[in-house]
Amino acid sequence: MKCKRCRKATAAVELRSHNAAFCPDCFFIFFRRQVEEGIRKQRLFSRDDRILVCVSGGKDSLVLWDELLEMGYDAEGLYIGLGIPGYSDRSKEKVIAFAEARGKKAIIVDLRDEGVPIPEAARANKKHECSVCGAIKRHFFNRVAAEGNFTVVATGHNLDDESGRLLGNVLHWQKSHIARQHPLLAAAGEGLVRKVKPLWRLSEQETASYAFLKGIDFVIEECPMSEQATSLIFKEALSIIEERMPGSRMAFYTGFLDPGNPVREAMAKAAAESGEFEPAIKDDGSPAGTHLCDRCGAPTLAQTCGYCRMKAKTVERAAQDAAKSATGARAASGKEPA
Ligand code: SF4
Ligand SMILES: [Zn+2]
Ligand SMILES: [Zn+2]
């Protein structure tokens, strides 16, 4: 099949949702245009911004960092090691190699060094791994951005991720989640940074094709915790619809973002009335998080922020476990009864 753009070279990527097929060069042009349009349409950032790209070692975030660098943006990578045995070490290696090949050095935060590796933090706080992971990562996005004078934090979420999340939110009528879902989350005050998703117009197939054609070496395995993530079910459901009706995914998500669609506003109003939703900005325009955490100084609605409370429990549990195993070891060596 010939490329539908240049009509000369052989097509390497067929995109049914766009009724198109591209050779590698034309695919990169298509990809660039989608990223540019995603940034422009939602006013994600400008050339003056300093961008912190959150890289996991997976394809989407590395593709995003690669493309932003190619586009000439001031973009640095942040890797947060989750402390998941095996997976975290392999993904870190990929990030370091990717950065070095581009003359960059990724900013690395290791949650084991911070005392909050995800498996232990989840156990100590009696929560699902993904729930503590989200909160801890958000804390470091804001902290590293503030320390490094970054004006925006970018993540590699693609169209499949965002439309799947929207379907899940709609299916359960999660009003506050629907109200907040957007490729741009404005900074809601001191110490909180703007968050953007520049790949929101690109599908998983498109980011995978970019990584493949560019020879980007990424960690292929998914985070082991993602197997339990319900978000995968919604993505799969949309894949079935997309297969039968190409373009549905994009229509679903862009229709949601359309300024003429009153759903988001209505959901925010309903959630606020039910007390479910604390708007990031109060009616008087001041940020909702006006306190500063008494331990780390991060903005929070409580006296101590969620991260510091989680960390305290994790550290306490680790100390208890260490004391128990020391007692067990002494008992086993016959020095004292267990
Ligand atoms: S799957 Fe869950 S634990 Fe793994 S990176 Fe995603 S949010 Fe974190
Ligand atoms: Zn072509
Ligand atoms: Zn804190």
Side-chain angles (χ1 to χ4, degrees):
M1 192 195 313
K2 289 272 177 238
C3 170
K4 288 202 179 171
R5 185 174 172 274
C6 66
R7 299 183 191 282
K8 287 187 205 127
T10 306
V13 185
E14 187 184 1
L15 302 177
R16 288 182 63 217
S17 55
H18 293 271
N19 192 24
F22 297 120
C23 68
D25 286 348
C26 292
F27 174 72
F28 289 129
I29 293 170
F30 158 83
F31 196 95
R32 171 74 50 90
R33 286 194 180 146
Q34 292 296 323
V35 178
E36 282 170 348
E37 206 170 329
I39 295 169
R40 185 187 57 78
K41 277 204 162 172
Q42 301 299 337
R43 299 195 181 127
L44 301 186
F45 45 79
S46 73
R47 292 273 165 197
D48 299 330
D49 277 300
R50 194 164 140 69
I51 306 166
L52 182 63
V53 186
C54 301
V55 284
S56 64
K59 69 174 182 335
D60 297 314
S61 53
L62 291 181
V63 163
L64 172 61
W65 194 12
D66 187 76
E67 181 64 356
L68 291 180
L69 290 174
E70 293 266 348
M71 292 167 87
Y73 281 101
D74 178 6
E76 301 295 335
L78 164 66
Y79 171 77
I80 300 179
L82 304 179
I84 297 173
Y87 168 74
S88 290
D89 302 307
R90 288 189 286 277
S91 51
K92 183 176 164 187
E93 277 169 24
K94 300 288 182 193
V95 170
I96 291 174
F98 174 94
E100 271 176 5
R102 287 154 183 82
K104 290 274 175 189
K105 199 165 183 290
I107 302 166
I108 306 232
V109 171
D110 193 325
L111 296 185
R112 279 177 291 216
D113 298 339
E114 299 291 335
V116 280
I118 296 302
E120 283 78 5
R123 219 175 308 132
N125 289 277
K126 298 188 177 66
K127 286 188 177 163
H128 189 279
E129 281 83 357
C130 297
S131 137
V132 293
C133 181
I136 292 173
K137 282 196 292 201
R138 276 195 298 279
H139 173 84
F140 282 100
F141 292 168
N142 286 319
R143 194 204 276 188
V144 173
E147 286 169 359
N149 295 322
F150 290 95
T151 50
V152 55
V153 166
T155 57
H157 294 94
N158 59 39
L159 177 63
D160 295 30
D161 298 323
E162 291 308 293
S163 55
R165 192 170 151 215
L166 178 60
L167 179 62
N169 287 338
V170 168
L171 211 62
H172 294 112
W173 292 115
Q174 307 256 34
K175 298 188 228 28
S176 60
H177 292 193
I178 295 170
R180 279 201 192 101
Q181 189 173 350
H182 199 271
L184 167 74
L185 289 181
E190 190 69 21
L192 296 170
V193 73
R194 187 182 352 144
K195 313 236 171 30
V196 298
K197 299 170 181 171
L199 300 183
W200 67 269
R201 293 182 61 83
L202 288 143
S203 72
E204 190 115 25
Q205 185 210 348
E206 288 154 6
T207 59
S209 301
Y210 181 106
F212 174 74
L213 293 172
K214 269 266 179 115
I216 292 176
D217 185 20
F218 57 88
V219 63
I220 294 171
E221 67 194 281
E222 297 283 344
C223 168
M225 309 306 171
S226 68
E227 282 170 21
Q228 307 153 21
T230 48
S231 57
L232 291 182
I233 302 170
F234 302 122
K235 279 167 77 168
E236 276 171 30
L238 279 175
S239 292
I240 295 169
I241 299 172
E242 180 72 25
E243 183 64 33
R244 302 282 295 272
M245 292 179 282
S248 299
R249 202 179 250 133
M250 183 67 114
F252 180 48
Y253 192 54
T254 51
F256 168 68
L257 294 179
D258 188 336
N261 182 343
V263 168
R264 259 205 347 271
E265 214 173 294
M267 288 292 154
K269 196 164 171 268
E273 279 167 8
S274 66
E276 193 190 315
F277 179 44
E278 177 94 39
I281 304 283
K282 290 180 183 167
D283 286 347
D284 64 3
S286 64
T290 46
H291 305 277
L292 294 184
C293 171
D294 57 0
R295 295 190 195 170
C296 73
T300 174
L301 293 172
Q303 194 180 347
T304 305
C305 78
Y307 168 75
C308 288
R309 280 180 280 141
M310 249 189 256
K311 178 171 173 167
K313 280 193 188 163
T314 313
V315 170
E316 190 187 334
R317 169 85 189 246
Q320 284 167 358
D321 289 348
K324 261 191 220 157
S325 61
T327 310
R330 278 199 298 276
S333 68
K335 286 189 180 150
E336 74 181 50

